[in-house]
Amino acid sequence: NESEISINDNFFDLGMSSLTLAQMKSLISAELKIIINISFLFEFPNVRESANKIYEIINGLEEESKDDEKELHQEIDDFLDQF
């Protein structure tokens, strides 16, 4: 019964096949614009764990982007200070 499935249920306990996992990996990668390997779904085998890890990945990318932007601004400022 679908109403008994929760975000904590293991994908494999629900009977997901390797083909379904490959499709799920492709969908996650395409929709969220991140690259994950199929091993990701073995390491984080339910919706809650997968979502938490994806959230960490996306936030990490955003933080890196902010740091890169700050560094670029500093480099530009340093360059302009030469004149």
Side-chain angles (χ1 to χ4, degrees):
N1 186 341
E2 287 183 20
S3 64
E4 296 175 13
I5 296 173
S6 83
I7 63 171
N8 297 310
D9 289 336
N10 185 296
F11 300 137
F12 305 102
D13 293 342
L14 296 172
M16 283 205 168
S17 68
S18 57
L19 177 60
T20 306
L21 286 175
Q23 291 170 334
M24 185 183 218
K25 172 230 169 273
S26 295
L27 181 62
I28 290 168
S29 293
E31 289 294 319
L32 299 177
K33 310 291 188 259
I34 61 172
I35 297 172
I36 62 168
N37 295 319
I38 198 152
S39 61
F40 175 91
L41 296 172
F42 286 92
E43 189 173 347
F44 306 100
N46 64 44
V47 172
R48 180 182 300 276
E49 290 178 26
S50 295
N52 286 339
K53 186 60 179 177
I54 289 169
Y55 180 79
E56 287 176 20
I57 291 168
I58 290 172
N59 279 339
L61 293 174
E62 288 174 357
E63 288 301 317
E64 280 181 29
S65 178
K66 287 177 188 175
D67 290 343
D68 289 345
E69 186 176 330
K70 287 177 187 174
E71 186 177 315
L72 177 60
H73 285 285
Q74 185 61 49
E75 287 176 15
I76 291 169
D77 287 344
D78 291 346
F79 176 76
L80 292 175
D81 285 343
Q82 296 175 22
F83 298 100

